[in-house]
Amino acid sequence: MPLLTLTPTAARRFAISRQHLDGPPRAAETMLDVIRDLGCLQLDPTSAVARSHLLVLWSRFGSYDPAHLDRLLWHERHLFEYWAHAASLVLTEDFPIHYDLMHRYSSGDPTWSGRSQVWMQENRAFHDHILDELARRGPLSSKEFEDKSASGWASTGWTSGRNVSRMLDFLWLRGRILVKERRGQTRYWDLAERCLPDWTPRDTLPRREVVRRSVLRAVRALGVARANHIKQHFTRNRYDELPAVLDELEAEGRLQRVSIAGDGASWPGVWYLHTDDLPQLEHLQNGGWQPRTTLLSPFDNLIADRARTELMFDFEYRIEIYVPQNKRKYGYFVLPILHGDRLIGRIDPLMNRKQGVLQINAVYAEPGAPAAAAPAIADTIASLATFLGAQAIACTDRVPEQWKAALRSS
C-alpha cells in the first residue's frame, strides 16, 4: 500500500476534528461520546476563569449545562477520577486500562518511588485505619480523618507534613479508594467498590493488551501522531515496548502510517492514524471542513503536549501560573484562540465572581493573525461570559489594533 501523504493543513484539521473543535458546537446529549473520543479530561484546581475540565467541554459544547457532566460523573458513574496523563476524569469503561496502574502501585512496582513504598510500609496501621474509617463512616473528606501516621511524610514541596492527604493519594493510586462526590472543590472519598457501578468491566488484562488499547485511544484522540506524541498522551509515559506495539497494530491494519508534507513544509518522523478514522479524514479533505473559533483551556487535550502544539500550529505556549507576576509574558491563566485550523492569539481573562464581570486583561495576536477574525473572537468571548454567568464583559485597551473595535464593543 502506498504511503498516504497529508498536507500540514489537512493534518491540523484532522486533529482538530478528532477533538470535536470544528463545525458547530456539539449537542450536550453527545457529551459521553465526545469524552470517549478525548479519552480523559485533565483536572486542575485553578479557577481564575473556571475549572479546566469545564472549559474543555465549553470549547466543544458552547454554553452547556454542567448538570450533564454531573449526571455522567456522579449519578450514572460513566466517569471517575483517576490518573491518566495527569489527574483526570476517565471513562469507567476503560477501567481495565487504569487498573493496570492501580495494580502496579499495589504490587510494589519498581517504577514507583522507593521512598513512597517505605513510607507506606512504615504507616501500615495508618493505611488500615483510613480504610476502616471509610468502611464504617464513608464517604469522608480529608479533614475528617485523624492523623495516625507513625512517621510523617517529608518532602521539599507542598505535600510535606500532609500525612492524611498523602495516604489518601496513595490509596487512590492503588485503586483502594475513589472520589465518591465533590462539594465545591472538596473531595469526599469512599471505598472503590462503593463508587464504581456494577457494570464496571473488571478484566485483568496482560500488560501488552493495556498498551495496545492505550495506543489506539491516544491515536484516535490525536488524529495523527508520532510515537513521542503517543507517549505524552492519555496514559502518559506508560507505553512499554511502544515501537513493537505500533508495528503490531500496523500489521493488523488497525493503524496506518502517513507522511506529512506540502504547503511549503514537511513534518519529520513517522506518523500514524487509526484506520477507522479514514472516512472522517476523506470527508474533511473533500469539502467537509467547517472552521470554528473558540478559546482553549491551558490544559485542553489539543494543546496538552506543548512540543506537538509548537510543531503543528507554530504556536509556543507555556502556562505562567507559577511564574512571578512581574516575569509573566502574557498572564496568569491565558487561553489560546483557535480560529479554524490555526492558533492566532491568546487572551488573559479573569472571572470576577463578586461583581459578575468577565475581565479581559489583555488580548494578544500572533504574527499574521487575520483582522477579519475579530467578530468571531468577540462572539466566543461573549459565549464564555454567558457560560460563566457574567453580567458584563470588561475589556482593557491591551488589545491588538486590528481587533480593538470589535472587542471593545462586545
Side-chain angles (χ1 to χ4, degrees):
M1 179 185 297
L3 187 65
L4 177 64
T5 299
L6 306 181
T7 64
T9 296
R12 274 193 300 273
R13 291 178 176 181
F14 186 40
I16 289 165
S17 186
R18 287 302 306 155
Q19 285 284 312
H20 294 272
L21 286 165
D22 61 333
R26 302 317 191 236
E29 293 73 21
T30 68
M31 187 172 289
L32 182 60
D33 291 333
V34 170
I35 296 172
R36 183 177 289 120
D37 281 348
L38 299 180
C40 61
L41 296 174
Q42 182 173 337
L43 297 169
D44 186 85
T46 310
S47 57
V49 179
R51 298 285 302 284
S52 177
H53 63 288
L54 300 178
L55 286 174
V56 169
L57 294 176
W58 166 79
S59 297
R60 289 150 179 86
F61 293 96
S63 191
Y64 70 98
D65 184 351
H68 284 285
L69 178 63
D70 289 341
R71 185 180 70 250
L72 294 174
L73 177 56
W74 306 123
H75 302 291
E76 298 175 6
R77 301 284 173 179
H78 284 291
L79 307 167
F80 67 99
E81 296 189 22
Y82 195 60
W83 194 268
H85 64 259
S88 303
L89 298 182
V90 299
L91 291 145
T92 305
E93 65 195 53
D94 282 341
F95 185 79
I97 292 175
H98 301 294
Y99 178 74
D100 178 72
L101 183 62
M102 297 174 184
H103 176 72
R104 292 170 80 173
Y105 271 107
S106 297
S107 61
D109 187 289
T111 59
W112 188 25
S113 164
R115 184 167 67 93
S116 302
Q117 292 187 49
V118 169
W119 189 77
M120 290 286 283
Q121 291 166 1
E122 292 174 348
N123 287 282
R124 185 69 200 189
F126 184 30
H127 166 286
D128 294 344
H129 165 72
I130 285 185
L131 293 178
D132 290 344
E133 285 292 282
L134 286 174
R136 186 170 63 89
R137 300 169 51 213
L140 301 171
S141 70
S142 61
K143 294 179 180 179
E144 295 177 83
F145 292 98
E146 183 181 353
D147 183 355
K148 292 197 170 187
S149 55
S151 60
W153 175 260
S155 79
T156 57
W158 65 272
T159 60
S160 186
R162 296 174 179 251
N163 303 321
V164 170
S165 294
R166 292 309 285 160
M167 183 59 74
L168 290 169
D169 285 343
F170 291 147
L171 287 168
W172 172 62
L173 287 170
R174 287 182 165 192
R176 299 298 304 278
I177 66 174
L178 293 172
V179 178
K180 183 67 177 277
E181 62 178 313
R182 279 184 182 256
R183 301 173 197 169
Q185 292 199 35
T186 302
R187 296 176 292 182
Y188 283 78
W189 301 92
D190 206 347
L191 300 177
E193 57 265 28
R194 298 202 297 224
C195 297
L196 295 169
D198 293 340
W199 53 263
T200 304
R202 298 180 184 275
D203 322 49
T204 301
L205 302 176
R207 179 82 188 124
R208 183 66 155 237
E209 181 59 22
V210 170
V211 176
R212 284 168 53 90
R213 293 190 186 190
S214 299
V215 166
L216 292 172
R217 271 221 173 276
V219 174
R220 295 210 73 182
L222 293 166
V224 288
R226 291 176 4 192
N228 59 327
H229 303 152
I230 295 168
K231 288 179 184 177
Q232 291 299 309
H233 203 74
F234 189 42
T235 54
R236 180 174 290 170
N237 296 326
R238 303 206 298 272
Y239 293 94
D240 298 353
E241 301 180 343
L242 179 58
V245 170
L246 289 170
D247 288 345
E248 197 175 278
L249 292 170
E250 185 182 10
E252 293 172 10
R254 308 290 299 280
L255 297 180
Q256 179 172 328
R257 291 191 187 206
V258 297
S259 64
I260 301 177
D263 298 341
S266 179
W267 294 351
V270 177
W271 296 73
Y272 296 88
L273 59 74
H274 197 295
T275 53
D276 286 356
D277 295 328
L278 283 168
Q280 183 177 353
L281 174 62
E282 184 177 1
H283 172 72
L284 292 170
Q285 292 181 304
N286 290 331
W289 168 248
Q290 296 183 62
R292 185 194 308 176
T293 301
T294 192
L295 306 172
L296 302 178
S297 160
F299 305 104
D300 193 285
N301 300 53
L302 180 68
I303 59 170
D305 182 341
R306 308 305 193 203
R308 171 187 164 89
T309 301
E310 194 162 347
L311 171 64
M312 293 189 72
F313 295 93
D314 191 24
F315 186 85
E316 182 179 331
Y317 182 75
R318 301 291 183 272
I319 192 164
E320 298 181 301
I321 289 173
Y322 304 109
V323 176
Q325 185 171 357
N326 63 343
K327 295 184 178 180
R328 290 178 192 146
K329 185 175 180 180
Y330 295 110
Y332 179 77
F333 194 79
V334 168
L335 311 184
I337 303 168
L338 177 67
H339 180 67
D341 59 22
R342 303 300 308 211
L343 294 170
I344 64 167
R346 57 199 96 198
I347 75 167
D348 173 21
L350 177 67
M351 180 58 195
N352 187 325
R353 292 176 177 82
K354 287 185 178 179
Q355 296 181 11
V357 174
L358 175 59
Q359 299 173 195
I360 307 301
N361 298 319
V363 180
Y364 304 91
E366 291 292 288
I377 296 170
D379 287 346
T380 199
I381 291 173
S383 171
L384 178 60
T386 298
F387 174 65
L388 297 173
Q391 303 302 308
I393 301 169
C395 189
T396 69
D397 287 326
R398 296 173 61 194
V399 175
E401 193 61 39
Q402 71 266 36
W403 295 344
K404 189 166 288 185
L407 298 189
R408 291 288 288 157
S409 62
S410 64

